[in-house]
Amino acid sequence: MATYSFTDIVAAITGPGGTIPLGAGTGAGEGGITITASSDKNTMMIGADGSGMNSLMADSSSEVTIRLLKTSPVNFLLQQLYNFQTASALTHGYNTITVTDIARGDFIVLTSAAFKKRPDITYAKEGGENEWVFDAIKTTQILGIGTPEIA
């Protein structure tokens, strides 16, 4: 039997202006953290005669979405980092985001990460979440095999 828990997720963003925790214990929203490849790794072309060709793309970029409860104090820290980093090209786009699942052995490093935009802010009946979105130029991803069965 295999199990998963967000409480095993250790994540952080490090860049000009500081280091901020993003994983368990930070007021993560229900959606947690999503890492999405920015483009396909392969493009296929089929010729007029039906023969085909695959083209391997060197792109390893990703989009990272961090969802925090509206009441998470990490929103303040990310807003301060956003304000600092987007004030000048000297500080923009130099973040490293790491995400580790300590129980499963997953380890993801996203480098040259930049704030994509400010989060959309909603004031409604329920508090909801703030979504912080980043573009990362390079993604290194290792998915673990999980912990062995405990007898």
Side-chain angles (χ1 to χ4, degrees):
M1 176 178 80
T3 59
Y4 165 83
S5 174
F6 190 82
T7 60
D8 294 323
I9 302 302
V10 177
I13 181 170
T14 300
T19 297
I20 300 171
L22 302 171
T26 61
E30 189 174 322
I33 300 170
T34 302
I35 302 164
T36 305
S38 297
S39 63
D40 294 338
K41 198 66 172 171
N42 183 71
T43 300
M44 181 177 64
M45 179 179 280
I46 303 297
D49 65 354
S51 59
M53 173 181 69
N54 287 308
S55 295
L56 176 63
M57 303 300 154
D59 184 359
S60 65
S61 64
S62 293
E63 182 177 274
V64 183
T65 304
I66 309 293
R67 294 172 194 83
L68 298 170
L69 295 175
K70 188 165 223 38
T71 57
S72 170
V74 175
N75 287 304
F76 172 79
L77 299 174
L78 286 173
Q79 184 67 64
Q80 296 301 313
L81 194 65
Y82 173 90
N83 292 345
F84 176 72
Q85 290 184 358
T86 59
S88 171
L90 291 171
T91 54
H92 183 70
Y94 294 102
N95 293 304
T96 297
I97 299 172
T98 57
V99 180
T100 304
D101 182 337
I102 58 174
R104 308 240 12 102
D106 298 352
F107 184 65
I108 303 170
V109 179
L110 304 116
T111 54
S112 299
F115 283 93
K116 188 173 188 111
K117 66 177 192 129
R118 295 185 310 262
D120 296 334
I121 303 299
T122 302
Y123 297 99
K125 180 180 177 182
E126 295 182 356
E129 299 177 341
N130 290 343
E131 290 190 352
W132 294 90
V133 182
F134 300 85
D135 286 327
I137 292 176
K138 183 172 182 190
T139 306
T140 304
Q141 176 174 293
I142 298 169
L143 298 181
I145 59 171
T147 55
E149 294 288 333
I150 299 174

